Amino acid sequence: MNLQLNSKKELTPVVFGETSVKLLKTRLGPDRLAFEQHWHDRLELHLIKSGKLELCCNEQNISVNAGELSIVSPAMLHSGKSGSEGYECYVIMFEVADLYNGTVSAKQYIEPIINGKIRFKYKTDNKEIVALADKIVEMQLNHKNYHPLETVGRLYRLLGLLCEHCIDDS
């Protein structure tokens, strides 16, 4: 990794809790900086509920609209700002490495995600993936109604769907 990339690594620790997920709700007015350019080792998803997020990943500009999900792969340099009408979203973060369990499928899929050999497309509107992300948000917001292992199971399902539909082949 080059010095420029290392200098922008996010150093703020994230506390995940027993479900391995950190959830943030973000709402910004028009044309506001959402987050400065940085990278980290976790997977970060932005579930856009209204408006538009203007995401920049590896120097590519991506507009993520309401009903879409952005996908920021581990170690991907990214920044974002709100669109002209602002936006509201849920940010779902988790450490893919926490899901590695030594199985054949983990070696085939999770290990390459961790080491950057599998990267995902920057966004998706796949209804099954978006609905699953929405369910994970609901489970985090109402965590007393769900067993933590249910959330972990859905993270595996989410990674499976991302690998099936969203691998970036470029």
Side-chain angles (χ1 to χ4, degrees):
M1 230 170 269
N2 65 35
L3 182 60
Q4 181 182 6
L5 187 59
N6 281 334
S7 68
K8 296 180 187 236
K9 183 172 184 180
E10 181 183 72
L11 300 176
T12 306
V14 173
V15 178
F16 292 101
E18 64 184 342
T19 63
S20 300
V21 173
K22 175 71 173 180
L23 181 70
L24 299 173
K25 184 175 184 179
T26 304
R27 181 184 301 155
L28 283 177
D31 302 311
R32 304 273 316 267
L33 180 67
F35 44 92
E36 292 185 10
Q37 190 176 55
H38 67 286
W39 68 275
H40 39 69
D41 294 323
R42 63 185 173 271
L43 187 71
E44 181 174 303
L45 309 168
H46 301 95
L47 179 61
I48 309 301
K49 302 306 273 181
S50 66
K52 184 185 301 184
L53 170 64
E54 300 293 346
L55 188 64
C56 181
C57 289
N58 291 339
E59 299 181 359
Q60 290 189 29
N61 295 320
I62 304 102
S63 291
V64 190
N65 300 301
E68 295 180 328
L69 183 74
S70 77
I71 308 161
V72 179
S73 296
M76 181 177 293
L77 199 58
H78 62 287
S79 63
K81 69 177 194 124
S82 58
S84 59
E85 67 278 357
Y87 82 102
E88 182 176 340
C89 82
Y90 286 99
V91 183
I92 303 165
M93 298 175 274
F94 62 96
E95 297 282 352
V96 178
D98 289 349
L99 301 175
Y100 185 83
N101 59 14
T103 62
V104 171
S105 59
K107 288 177 184 174
Q108 186 174 359
Y109 297 102
I110 293 181
E111 188 174 293
I113 294 169
I114 295 166
N115 65 29
K117 291 183 180 170
I118 289 180
R119 295 254 183 203
F120 298 113
K121 297 174 185 174
Y122 299 127
K123 72 175 185 175
T124 185
D125 62 356
N126 177 290
K127 293 191 185 323
E128 190 175 5
I129 294 171
V130 172
L132 183 54
D134 210 24
K135 182 64 177 181
I136 291 169
V137 168
E138 176 194 328
M139 293 173 79
Q140 289 300 112
L141 293 174
N142 302 301
H143 60 90
K144 293 186 188 308
N145 298 330
Y146 297 97
H147 194 281
L149 287 175
E150 289 183 74
T151 302
V152 173
R154 283 190 169 82
L155 293 178
Y156 280 109
R157 176 76 178 136
L158 180 66
L159 286 175
L161 289 171
L162 290 174
C163 286
E164 186 176 344
H165 299 287
C166 298
I167 288 181
D168 185 1
D169 295 326
S170 61

